[in-house]
Amino acid sequence: MSEIAATTQNSSNAASLLKRIAAQGGYEAGMMLRNGEQLLLAIILPLLAMIGLVLTPLIDGVSDTRINAVAPGVLALCVVSTAFTGQGITTGFDRRYGVLRFLATTPLGKAGLIAGKALAVLMVVAIQVVVLGAAALIMGWNPFAHGDPGCIIATAIVFILVGVLTFTALGLLIAGSVRPEATLAITNLVWVLLAAVGGLLMPVRHLGGIWGPILEFLPSAALGDGLRSAFYHGEFNGIALLSLVIWGALATLGASRWFKWD
């Protein structure tokens, strides 16, 4: 009987933890969406990037149409905007004002707090994908022109999920190891660089020069290439996924080693 009681108690504790994580994730997602700066970063800037690239010849030759070439990269940009820049800035200032230290002492715990943040990012990214995907469809995007819809959707989901985990870990690594003001500057600067030349919006090989082979090792290039392979060719890019997983593992190890709660 004692074993049954212990098992029941453990199940109850696990269910309570999941409820707390879900509540924390919902709260943080709501805060992100109500924040004007976060909304600008999450929706407006990727939308402007998509419109700008469709109206200019910068990405000509990458795919059959400009919107087909641009849309997968914009989805990758959404992941980086929310998981890396948005979550990094939020966590950095939560750390500065003692919010992290306080929440870590509640029943939510450190692991629950991090899980809640990852869940919030997933919620916001899902909204971004729906909104910006709909905008791309209105602009003429044909996401299933080159493959089976089921395979393309499944591949895109895998890369988005792994991308969220990887860039959330990178954001937490920076937010937990430097001052909030430095986090703000670093994450915004890195976002601009990755969007411009990091393989998010266009393949790094399309940029030309000697930097292409080097930039292909960036996690942003892996995420962008994975989504482009899915939507351009209906293929699963295993090398890109492996690169993204390695970056995620290294970022997670770094965050667990150097993250400071106060």
Side-chain angles (χ1 to χ4, degrees):
M1 292 296 292
S2 61
E3 292 181 358
I4 296 176
T7 302
T8 302
Q9 182 64 35
N10 290 336
S11 299
S12 177
N13 290 340
S16 297
L17 178 59
L18 290 177
K19 289 181 180 179
R20 288 193 289 268
I21 291 173
Q24 182 67 22
Y27 170 76
E28 294 214 17
M31 291 292 291
M32 293 169 69
L33 292 173
R34 286 193 295 269
N35 186 306
E37 294 178 359
Q38 295 278 19
L39 190 62
L40 175 69
L41 191 66
I43 300 292
I44 305 302
L45 291 182
L47 179 60
L48 291 176
M50 182 165 65
I51 294 172
L53 287 173
V54 167
L55 295 177
T56 61
L58 290 175
I59 203 164
D60 284 356
V62 173
S63 188
D64 50 351
T65 66
R66 288 180 182 174
I67 187 59
N68 283 351
V70 170
V74 170
L75 298 184
L77 182 65
C78 289
V79 172
V80 177
S81 298
T82 301
F84 177 72
T85 307
Q87 193 54 246
I89 293 172
T90 300
T91 303
F93 282 95
D94 281 351
R95 175 173 161 243
R96 174 178 181 174
Y97 295 117
V99 176
L100 289 183
R101 184 173 64 250
F102 170 75
L103 289 175
T105 63
T106 67
L108 185 66
K110 295 180 179 179
L113 177 59
I114 292 175
K117 287 183 174 295
L119 180 60
V121 171
L122 285 173
M123 291 178 180
V124 175
V125 169
I127 294 172
Q128 289 176 284
V129 169
V130 170
V131 172
L132 291 167
L137 290 173
I138 292 172
M139 297 171 69
W141 182 35
N142 186 356
F144 309 127
H146 305 291
D148 176 69
C151 293
I152 291 174
I153 291 173
T155 300
I157 290 174
V158 169
F159 273 93
I160 288 173
L161 287 175
V162 177
V164 164
L165 295 175
T166 297
F167 281 97
T168 298
L170 287 168
L172 292 177
L173 173 60
I174 294 175
S177 56
V178 302
R179 295 176 58 189
E181 294 81 5
T183 298
L184 179 64
I186 292 170
T187 54
N188 278 306
L189 176 60
V190 170
W191 182 86
V192 171
L193 292 175
L194 294 182
V197 296
L200 282 177
L201 292 175
M202 64 181 69
V204 291
R205 59 182 176 275
H206 190 68
L207 299 174
I210 63 173
W211 292 103
I214 298 175
L215 295 175
E216 284 186 357
F217 289 101
L218 292 174
S220 53
L223 177 59
D225 286 345
L227 291 175
R228 280 186 287 270
S229 293
F231 289 110
Y232 290 2
H233 311 295
E235 298 176 351
F236 185 90
N237 192 329
I239 295 177
L241 183 63
L242 178 61
S243 175
L244 202 57
V245 168
I246 291 173
W247 273 99
L250 292 176
T252 301
L253 289 174
S256 63
R257 171 65 177 83
W258 290 298
F259 191 92
K260 299 175 183 176
W261 292 85
D262 51 21

